[in-house]
């Protein structure tokens, strides 16, 4: 049996930093002590501290703002995290990721139709209003609005874990989603399908919201499969 790897000083420091955040009652956005103060508090050198900080930043637990300081990250309370070391998604993995979205997102759209409140619906409509302004303009802004629509729909379902799963999947293949926007090349159709999903959610029609979300994502996967394996 191989020897169990001993935790390094950086490993231990990472845990102590997380303990500092949790026991100190810090929330996302709160400012933490400076690197100098932390080095003195934990009696470690600055390079060792920086290694631990880089690890925490990679998972979103903290945010390092140049010239400002160290802040608690928005992902500190997440249960599901995207892989910070992911560099490229292979073709087969991309189709599988889309397949996962087809399994997960339609039921979440149905749940959103059942649980959405007026304020949440207004926010979701605002996202699509923003998307509508970029149908013939900035694709980067349009992509961001499209992804925000899917994230917001998942959030409205009321299950934080499943929302984090969707958020992580979208982050993993964000570049590929931007490619889809270029290849699909029918921004109006994509926008109209999002509007149809919103209408079903507004009507609190869970079955229709689920069906429309599924049809939308299946179409996206079909586009990708045709690109990867063009006929002839």
């Amino acid at each position: 049996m191989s020897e169990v790897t001993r935790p390094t000083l950086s490993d231990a420091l990472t845990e102590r930093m997380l303990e500092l955040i949790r026991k100190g009652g810090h929330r996302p956005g709160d400012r933490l002590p400076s690197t100098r103060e932390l080095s003195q508090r934990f009696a470690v050198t600055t390079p060792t501290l920086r290694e631990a900080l880089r690890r925490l930043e990679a998972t979103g637990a903290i945010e390092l703002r140049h010239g400002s300081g160290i802040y608690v990250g928005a992902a500190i309370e997440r249960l599901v995290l995207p892989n910070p070391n992911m560099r490229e998604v292979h073709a087969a993995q991309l189709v599988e990721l889309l397949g996962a979205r087809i399994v997960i997102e339609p039921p979440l759209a149905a749940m959103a139709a059942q649980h959405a409140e007026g304020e949440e619906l207004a926010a979701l409509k605002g996202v699509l209003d923003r998307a509508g302004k970029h149908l013939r303009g900035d694709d980067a802004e349009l992509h961001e609005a499209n992804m925000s629509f899917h994230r917001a729909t998942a959030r409205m379902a009321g299950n934080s874990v499943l929302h984090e799963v969707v958020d992580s999947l979208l982050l993993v293949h964000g570049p590929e989603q931007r490619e889809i926007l270029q290849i699909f090349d029918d921004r109006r159709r994509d926008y109209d399908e999002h509007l149809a999903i919103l209408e079903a959610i507004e009507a609190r029609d869970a079955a229709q919201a689920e069906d429309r979300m599924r049809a939308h994502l299946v179409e996206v996967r079909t586009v990708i499969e045709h690109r990867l394996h063009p006929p002839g």
Side-chain angles (χ1 to χ4, degrees):
M1 181 180 296
S2 60
E3 183 181 352
V4 176
T5 304
R6 290 185 177 183
T8 65
L9 179 57
S10 181
D11 292 331
L13 184 55
T14 299
E15 289 302 317
R16 293 180 70 187
M17 280 290 300
L18 289 172
E19 183 179 7
L20 169 68
I21 293 171
R22 290 166 182 149
K23 290 191 175 180
H26 296 293
R27 307 290 298 170
D30 288 351
R31 186 172 183 174
L32 296 172
S34 68
T35 53
R36 181 178 178 180
E37 292 173 296
L38 290 171
S39 294
Q40 293 174 345
R41 177 174 185 145
F42 296 123
V44 296
T45 63
T46 300
T48 300
L49 176 66
R50 285 177 178 165
E51 182 181 348
L53 292 177
R54 281 195 294 270
R55 290 186 181 188
L56 292 168
E57 185 181 34
T59 62
I62 66 167
E63 181 182 350
L64 302 177
R65 301 179 190 174
H66 182 67
S68 178
I70 308 166
Y71 294 82
V72 179
I76 186 67
E77 297 174 346
R78 287 181 67 120
L79 296 177
V80 180
L81 289 171
N83 180 3
N85 302 311
M86 195 64 150
R87 290 294 178 266
E88 181 180 358
V89 178
H90 299 296
Q93 290 175 311
L94 179 56
V95 173
E96 288 178 355
L97 284 168
L98 288 167
R101 289 185 63 192
I102 290 168
V103 171
I104 297 168
E105 290 193 54
L108 289 181
M111 293 166 65
Q114 294 170 334
H115 300 135
E117 301 293 337
E119 189 174 321
E120 293 176 316
L121 288 170
L124 192 60
K125 187 175 184 300
V127 169
L128 289 187
D129 287 344
R130 191 168 81 244
K133 295 176 182 178
H134 299 287
L135 296 180
R136 297 183 179 179
D138 189 342
D139 275 355
E141 291 290 338
L142 179 57
H143 164 75
E144 181 56 37
N146 287 342
M147 295 300 96
S148 294
F149 173 79
H150 284 276
R151 288 189 177 97
T153 301
R155 187 184 306 112
M156 287 167 57
N159 186 305
S160 62
V161 176
L162 289 174
H163 167 239
E164 289 178 8
V165 170
V166 171
D167 189 57
S168 296
L169 289 177
L170 293 178
L171 183 59
V172 165
H173 63 96
E176 286 77 13
Q177 286 293 147
R178 287 192 289 274
E179 278 189 50
I180 291 170
L181 183 65
Q182 298 292 330
I183 296 162
F184 190 61
D185 202 27
D186 195 339
R187 292 154 184 78
R188 169 60 64 176
R189 182 176 178 182
D190 192 51
Y191 175 71
D192 287 344
E193 289 178 0
H194 284 164
L195 278 179
I197 295 167
L198 173 60
E199 288 172 1
I201 293 174
E202 287 180 317
R204 299 192 178 278
D205 189 333
Q208 190 77 276
E210 182 169 357
D211 289 345
R212 290 178 179 180
M213 179 65 83
R214 181 175 292 105
H216 171 61
L217 292 173
V218 167
E219 184 175 34
V220 171
R221 184 176 63 178
T222 299
V223 170
I224 287 296
E225 287 177 327
H226 283 181
R227 177 174 70 87
L228 297 175
H229 307 290

PDB file of all heavy atoms in Angstrom, residues 19-40:
ATOM      1  N   GLU A  19     -11.197  28.407   7.818  1.00  0.00           N
ATOM      2  CA  GLU A  19     -11.707  28.455   9.186  1.00  0.00           C
ATOM      3  C   GLU A  19     -11.848  29.903   9.657  1.00  0.00           C
ATOM      4  O   GLU A  19     -12.824  30.269  10.327  1.00  0.00           O
ATOM      5  CB  GLU A  19     -10.755  27.691  10.110  1.00  0.00           C
ATOM      6  CG  GLU A  19     -11.235  27.605  11.553  1.00  0.00           C
ATOM      7  CD  GLU A  19     -10.267  26.823  12.433  1.00  0.00           C
ATOM      8  OE1 GLU A  19      -9.172  26.469  11.955  1.00  0.00           O
ATOM      9  OE2 GLU A  19     -10.612  26.578  13.609  1.00  0.00           O
ATOM     10  N   LEU A  20     -10.888  30.735   9.279  1.00  0.00           N
ATOM     11  CA  LEU A  20     -10.944  32.157   9.611  1.00  0.00           C
ATOM     12  C   LEU A  20     -12.196  32.806   9.031  1.00  0.00           C
ATOM     13  O   LEU A  20     -12.887  33.576   9.695  1.00  0.00           O
ATOM     14  CB  LEU A  20      -9.687  32.862   9.093  1.00  0.00           C
ATOM     15  CG  LEU A  20      -9.701  34.395   9.122  1.00  0.00           C
ATOM     16  CD1 LEU A  20      -9.675  34.890  10.570  1.00  0.00           C
ATOM     17  CD2 LEU A  20      -8.511  34.961   8.342  1.00  0.00           C
ATOM     18  N   ILE A  21     -12.494  32.462   7.776  1.00  0.00           N
ATOM     19  CA  ILE A  21     -13.655  33.047   7.096  1.00  0.00           C
ATOM     20  C   ILE A  21     -14.945  32.579   7.753  1.00  0.00           C
ATOM     21  O   ILE A  21     -15.841  33.383   8.046  1.00  0.00           O
ATOM     22  CB  ILE A  21     -13.641  32.674   5.604  1.00  0.00           C
ATOM     23  CG1 ILE A  21     -12.449  33.342   4.902  1.00  0.00           C
ATOM     24  CG2 ILE A  21     -14.948  33.072   4.928  1.00  0.00           C
ATOM     25  CD1 ILE A  21     -12.215  32.862   3.477  1.00  0.00           C
ATOM     26  N   ARG A  22     -15.030  31.276   8.013  1.00  0.00           N
ATOM     27  CA  ARG A  22     -16.282  30.722   8.541  1.00  0.00           C
ATOM     28  C   ARG A  22     -16.526  31.134   9.987  1.00  0.00           C
ATOM     29  O   ARG A  22     -17.614  31.594  10.347  1.00  0.00           O
ATOM     30  CB  ARG A  22     -16.256  29.200   8.421  1.00  0.00           C
ATOM     31  CG  ARG A  22     -16.351  28.720   6.973  1.00  0.00           C
ATOM     32  CD  ARG A  22     -16.000  27.261   6.840  1.00  0.00           C
ATOM     33  NE  ARG A  22     -16.060  26.826   5.444  1.00  0.00           N
ATOM     34  CZ  ARG A  22     -15.303  25.872   4.925  1.00  0.00           C
ATOM     35  NH1 ARG A  22     -14.415  25.245   5.681  1.00  0.00           N
ATOM     36  NH2 ARG A  22     -15.414  25.534   3.659  1.00  0.00           N
ATOM     37  N   LYS A  23     -15.526  30.957  10.829  1.00  0.00           N
ATOM     38  CA  LYS A  23     -15.708  31.281  12.239  1.00  0.00           C
ATOM     39  C   LYS A  23     -15.794  32.783  12.471  1.00  0.00           C
ATOM     40  O   LYS A  23     -16.349  33.233  13.477  1.00  0.00           O
ATOM     41  CB  LYS A  23     -14.572  30.674  13.066  1.00  0.00           C
ATOM     42  CG  LYS A  23     -14.639  29.150  13.156  1.00  0.00           C
ATOM     43  CD  LYS A  23     -13.668  28.601  14.178  1.00  0.00           C
ATOM     44  CE  LYS A  23     -13.853  27.088  14.344  1.00  0.00           C
ATOM     45  NZ  LYS A  23     -12.911  26.524  15.343  1.00  0.00           N
ATOM     46  N   GLY A  24     -15.229  33.546  11.548  1.00  0.00           N
ATOM     47  CA  GLY A  24     -15.292  35.005  11.674  1.00  0.00           C
ATOM     48  C   GLY A  24     -16.604  35.579  11.183  1.00  0.00           C
ATOM     49  O   GLY A  24     -16.829  36.795  11.270  1.00  0.00           O
ATOM     50  N   GLY A  25     -17.472  34.707  10.644  1.00  0.00           N
ATOM     51  CA  GLY A  25     -18.773  35.171  10.174  1.00  0.00           C
ATOM     52  C   GLY A  25     -18.702  36.008   8.916  1.00  0.00           C
ATOM     53  O   GLY A  25     -19.617  36.779   8.622  1.00  0.00           O
ATOM     54  N   HIS A  26     -17.625  35.862   8.152  1.00  0.00           N
ATOM     55  CA  HIS A  26     -17.461  36.661   6.929  1.00  0.00           C
ATOM     56  C   HIS A  26     -18.398  36.175   5.837  1.00  0.00           C
ATOM     57  O   HIS A  26     -18.626  34.967   5.677  1.00  0.00           O
ATOM     58  CB  HIS A  26     -16.012  36.587   6.440  1.00  0.00           C
ATOM     59  CG  HIS A  26     -15.025  37.181   7.397  1.00  0.00           C
ATOM     60  ND1 HIS A  26     -14.985  38.526   7.675  1.00  0.00           N
ATOM     61  CD2 HIS A  26     -14.048  36.614   8.146  1.00  0.00           C
ATOM     62  CE1 HIS A  26     -14.022  38.773   8.552  1.00  0.00           C
ATOM     63  NE2 HIS A  26     -13.436  37.623   8.854  1.00  0.00           N
ATOM     64  N   ARG A  27     -18.913  37.107   5.070  1.00  0.00           N
ATOM     65  CA  ARG A  27     -19.832  36.818   3.976  1.00  0.00           C
ATOM     66  C   ARG A  27     -19.180  37.219   2.649  1.00  0.00           C
ATOM     67  O   ARG A  27     -18.206  37.987   2.635  1.00  0.00           O
ATOM     68  CB  ARG A  27     -21.130  37.597   4.153  1.00  0.00           C
ATOM     69  CG  ARG A  27     -21.799  37.403   5.508  1.00  0.00           C
ATOM     70  CD  ARG A  27     -22.360  36.023   5.667  1.00  0.00           C
ATOM     71  NE  ARG A  27     -23.395  35.764   4.691  1.00  0.00           N
ATOM     72  CZ  ARG A  27     -23.940  34.579   4.462  1.00  0.00           C
ATOM     73  NH1 ARG A  27     -23.518  33.524   5.146  1.00  0.00           N
ATOM     74  NH2 ARG A  27     -24.890  34.417   3.575  1.00  0.00           N
ATOM     75  N   PRO A  28     -19.696  36.715   1.528  1.00  0.00           N
ATOM     76  CA  PRO A  28     -19.155  37.127   0.225  1.00  0.00           C
ATOM     77  C   PRO A  28     -19.110  38.650   0.093  1.00  0.00           C
ATOM     78  O   PRO A  28     -20.078  39.333   0.416  1.00  0.00           O
ATOM     79  CB  PRO A  28     -20.146  36.507  -0.767  1.00  0.00           C
ATOM     80  CG  PRO A  28     -20.647  35.287  -0.059  1.00  0.00           C
ATOM     81  CD  PRO A  28     -20.751  35.684   1.382  1.00  0.00           C
ATOM     82  N   GLY A  29     -17.955  39.138  -0.334  1.00  0.00           N
ATOM     83  CA  GLY A  29     -17.776  40.575  -0.490  1.00  0.00           C
ATOM     84  C   GLY A  29     -17.084  41.240   0.681  1.00  0.00           C
ATOM     85  O   GLY A  29     -16.611  42.381   0.574  1.00  0.00           O
ATOM     86  N   ASP A  30     -17.010  40.539   1.832  1.00  0.00           N
ATOM     87  CA  ASP A  30     -16.331  41.108   3.002  1.00  0.00           C
ATOM     88  C   ASP A  30     -14.821  41.146   2.773  1.00  0.00           C
ATOM     89  O   ASP A  30     -14.242  40.224   2.184  1.00  0.00           O
ATOM     90  CB  ASP A  30     -16.619  40.277   4.255  1.00  0.00           C
ATOM     91  CG  ASP A  30     -18.041  40.438   4.758  1.00  0.00           C
ATOM     92  OD1 ASP A  30     -18.751  41.325   4.245  1.00  0.00           O
ATOM     93  OD2 ASP A  30     -18.431  39.674   5.661  1.00  0.00           O
ATOM     94  N   ARG A  31     -14.212  42.188   3.270  1.00  0.00           N
ATOM     95  CA  ARG A  31     -12.758  42.325   3.131  1.00  0.00           C
ATOM     96  C   ARG A  31     -12.055  41.561   4.249  1.00  0.00           C
ATOM     97  O   ARG A  31     -12.480  41.598   5.405  1.00  0.00           O
ATOM     98  CB  ARG A  31     -12.362  43.798   3.171  1.00  0.00           C
ATOM     99  CG  ARG A  31     -10.880  44.037   2.876  1.00  0.00           C
ATOM    100  CD  ARG A  31     -10.582  45.508   2.734  1.00  0.00           C
ATOM    101  NE  ARG A  31      -9.188  45.734   2.396  1.00  0.00           N
ATOM    102  CZ  ARG A  31      -8.676  46.926   2.095  1.00  0.00           C
ATOM    103  NH1 ARG A  31      -9.471  47.993   2.097  1.00  0.00           N
ATOM    104  NH2 ARG A  31      -7.406  47.046   1.796  1.00  0.00           N
ATOM    105  N   LEU A  32     -10.975  40.888   3.882  1.00  0.00           N
ATOM    106  CA  LEU A  32     -10.178  40.117   4.838  1.00  0.00           C
ATOM    107  C   LEU A  32      -8.913  40.894   5.198  1.00  0.00           C
ATOM    108  O   LEU A  32      -8.565  41.870   4.519  1.00  0.00           O
ATOM    109  CB  LEU A  32      -9.819  38.753   4.239  1.00  0.00           C
ATOM    110  CG  LEU A  32     -11.005  37.821   3.946  1.00  0.00           C
ATOM    111  CD1 LEU A  32     -10.531  36.591   3.188  1.00  0.00           C
ATOM    112  CD2 LEU A  32     -11.707  37.417   5.237  1.00  0.00           C
ATOM    113  N   PRO A  33      -8.194  40.478   6.251  1.00  0.00           N
ATOM    114  CA  PRO A  33      -6.940  41.149   6.603  1.00  0.00           C
ATOM    115  C   PRO A  33      -5.942  41.124   5.441  1.00  0.00           C
ATOM    116  O   PRO A  33      -6.029  40.278   4.549  1.00  0.00           O
ATOM    117  CB  PRO A  33      -6.428  40.336   7.802  1.00  0.00           C
ATOM    118  CG  PRO A  33      -7.652  39.722   8.396  1.00  0.00           C
ATOM    119  CD  PRO A  33      -8.551  39.430   7.224  1.00  0.00           C
ATOM    120  N   SER A  34      -4.994  42.023   5.473  1.00  0.00           N
ATOM    121  CA  SER A  34      -3.983  42.114   4.417  1.00  0.00           C
ATOM    122  C   SER A  34      -3.048  40.908   4.456  1.00  0.00           C
ATOM    123  O   SER A  34      -3.027  40.154   5.443  1.00  0.00           O
ATOM    124  CB  SER A  34      -3.159  43.397   4.590  1.00  0.00           C
ATOM    125  OG  SER A  34      -2.374  43.302   5.777  1.00  0.00           O
ATOM    126  N   THR A  35      -2.268  40.726   3.385  1.00  0.00           N
ATOM    127  CA  THR A  35      -1.315  39.607   3.352  1.00  0.00           C
ATOM    128  C   THR A  35      -0.306  39.718   4.489  1.00  0.00           C
ATOM    129  O   THR A  35       0.089  38.702   5.076  1.00  0.00           O
ATOM    130  CB  THR A  35      -0.570  39.567   1.998  1.00  0.00           C
ATOM    131  OG1 THR A  35       0.004  40.849   1.747  1.00  0.00           O
ATOM    132  CG2 THR A  35      -1.514  39.199   0.866  1.00  0.00           C
ATOM    133  N   ARG A  36       0.090  40.937   4.810  1.00  0.00           N
ATOM    134  CA  ARG A  36       1.052  41.133   5.907  1.00  0.00           C
ATOM    135  C   ARG A  36       0.437  40.686   7.238  1.00  0.00           C
ATOM    136  O   ARG A  36       1.080  39.969   8.015  1.00  0.00           O
ATOM    137  CB  ARG A  36       1.461  42.599   5.980  1.00  0.00           C
ATOM    138  CG  ARG A  36       2.475  42.892   7.084  1.00  0.00           C
ATOM    139  CD  ARG A  36       2.877  44.348   7.075  1.00  0.00           C
ATOM    140  NE  ARG A  36       3.811  44.653   8.143  1.00  0.00           N
ATOM    141  CZ  ARG A  36       4.325  45.855   8.379  1.00  0.00           C
ATOM    142  NH1 ARG A  36       3.978  46.873   7.587  1.00  0.00           N
ATOM    143  NH2 ARG A  36       5.172  46.056   9.355  1.00  0.00           N
ATOM    144  N   GLU A  37      -0.806  41.097   7.467  1.00  0.00           N
ATOM    145  CA  GLU A  37      -1.476  40.713   8.710  1.00  0.00           C
ATOM    146  C   GLU A  37      -1.683  39.207   8.787  1.00  0.00           C
ATOM    147  O   GLU A  37      -1.520  38.589   9.847  1.00  0.00           O
ATOM    148  CB  GLU A  37      -2.823  41.432   8.818  1.00  0.00           C
ATOM    149  CG  GLU A  37      -2.718  42.938   9.018  1.00  0.00           C
ATOM    150  CD  GLU A  37      -4.064  43.619   8.945  1.00  0.00           C
ATOM    151  OE1 GLU A  37      -4.690  43.589   7.865  1.00  0.00           O
ATOM    152  OE2 GLU A  37      -4.500  44.188   9.968  1.00  0.00           O
ATOM    153  N   LEU A  38      -2.042  38.597   7.650  1.00  0.00           N
ATOM    154  CA  LEU A  38      -2.268  37.156   7.627  1.00  0.00           C
ATOM    155  C   LEU A  38      -0.974  36.387   7.854  1.00  0.00           C
ATOM    156  O   LEU A  38      -0.954  35.365   8.545  1.00  0.00           O
ATOM    157  CB  LEU A  38      -2.915  36.746   6.305  1.00  0.00           C
ATOM    158  CG  LEU A  38      -4.363  37.199   6.103  1.00  0.00           C
ATOM    159  CD1 LEU A  38      -4.813  36.929   4.667  1.00  0.00           C
ATOM    160  CD2 LEU A  38      -5.294  36.501   7.095  1.00  0.00           C
ATOM    161  N   SER A  39       0.114  36.871   7.248  1.00  0.00           N
ATOM    162  CA  SER A  39       1.422  36.222   7.434  1.00  0.00           C
ATOM    163  C   SER A  39       1.811  36.224   8.906  1.00  0.00           C
ATOM    164  O   SER A  39       2.313  35.222   9.442  1.00  0.00           O
ATOM    165  CB  SER A  39       2.490  36.943   6.614  1.00  0.00           C
ATOM    166  OG  SER A  39       2.258  36.804   5.234  1.00  0.00           O
ATOM    167  N   GLN A  40       1.578  37.352   9.574  1.00  0.00           N
ATOM    168  CA  GLN A  40       1.914  37.453  10.988  1.00  0.00           C
ATOM    169  C   GLN A  40       0.981  36.590  11.844  1.00  0.00           C
ATOM    170  O   GLN A  40       1.424  35.931  12.784  1.00  0.00           O
ATOM    171  CB  GLN A  40       1.828  38.918  11.427  1.00  0.00           C
ATOM    172  CG  GLN A  40       2.883  39.805  10.790  1.00  0.00           C
ATOM    173  CD  GLN A  40       2.695  41.277  11.124  1.00  0.00           C
ATOM    174  OE1 GLN A  40       1.633  41.689  11.598  1.00  0.00           O
ATOM    175  NE2 GLN A  40       3.724  42.079  10.866  1.00  0.00           N
TER     176      GLN A  40
END
